[in-house]
Amino acid sequence: MSKVLSPSRPYLLRAFYEWLLDNDLTPHLVVEAEMPGVQVPRQFVEDGQIVLNIAPHAVGNLQMGNEEVTFNARFGGQPHALRVPMYAVAAIYARENGAGTVFQPEAAYEQVDTAPNEADAPVTDEPVAERPKGRPTLKVIK
């Protein structure tokens, strides 16, 4: 009896991300934006895909789990919370030289329901908590 293996995409994605950063390159994520569960700013989607800069200086709270990639980013000065299910990640590459990989289809992701779902509506209008303006202050408490 052979054991069913978990998808390799999340592990390869994290490995390529670290490798690109270690080589002082800027990682970009190619996302199939029309897949269910993808929450990205729709006005930046072209031909059903969106390319996202996921370098540490460009995003906040980046989480690359086994099921999804989540982070906060700004588009046109507006903060957005993004959610990319792992099955919607098409590729990761370096902006500078194109080094990276295109992910091959995996059996674990072939059973994804491609019908749009009301629960999967983009949440691009949800503001991310803004940082307070001005200089930080401290109070002495006795």
Side-chain angles (χ1 to χ4, degrees):
M1 220 184 240
S2 65
K3 181 181 176 188
V4 177
L5 298 175
S6 62
S8 61
R9 188 172 304 177
Y11 302 96
L12 294 173
L13 177 64
R14 289 188 292 264
F16 270 98
Y17 177 79
E18 287 189 29
W19 176 70
L20 292 171
L21 292 180
D22 286 350
N23 286 282
D24 296 321
L25 298 171
T26 309
H28 281 66
L29 203 61
V30 179
V31 175
E32 297 294 339
E34 304 300 325
M35 299 287 285
V38 175
Q39 297 172 354
V40 297
R42 296 290 175 194
Q43 63 268 33
F44 298 100
V45 173
E46 293 182 15
D47 298 324
Q49 292 186 329
I50 186 168
V51 178
L52 304 168
N53 178 352
I54 58 170
H57 66 272
V59 300
N61 301 324
L62 177 65
Q63 297 290 317
M64 286 194 273
N66 288 344
E67 300 297 323
E68 65 185 8
V69 178
T70 59
F71 58 93
N72 299 325
R74 290 186 172 270
F75 292 84
Q78 296 296 321
H80 295 274
L82 285 80
R83 177 181 178 267
V84 179
M86 204 54 71
Y87 54 79
V89 175
I92 184 170
Y93 72 94
R95 178 187 64 205
E96 294 82 357
N97 62 10
T101 190
V102 174
F103 295 107
Q104 298 300 314
E106 292 189 67
Y109 300 135
E110 289 177 5
Q111 298 173 4
V112 174
D113 179 20
T114 57
N117 187 337
E118 288 181 24
D120 296 330
V123 290
T124 58
D125 295 334
E126 283 187 20
V128 177
E130 290 284 329
R131 289 186 183 178
K133 304 276 189 237
R135 295 183 60 182
T137 59
L138 296 175
K139 291 183 180 179
V140 177
I141 300 175
K142 294 185 179 185

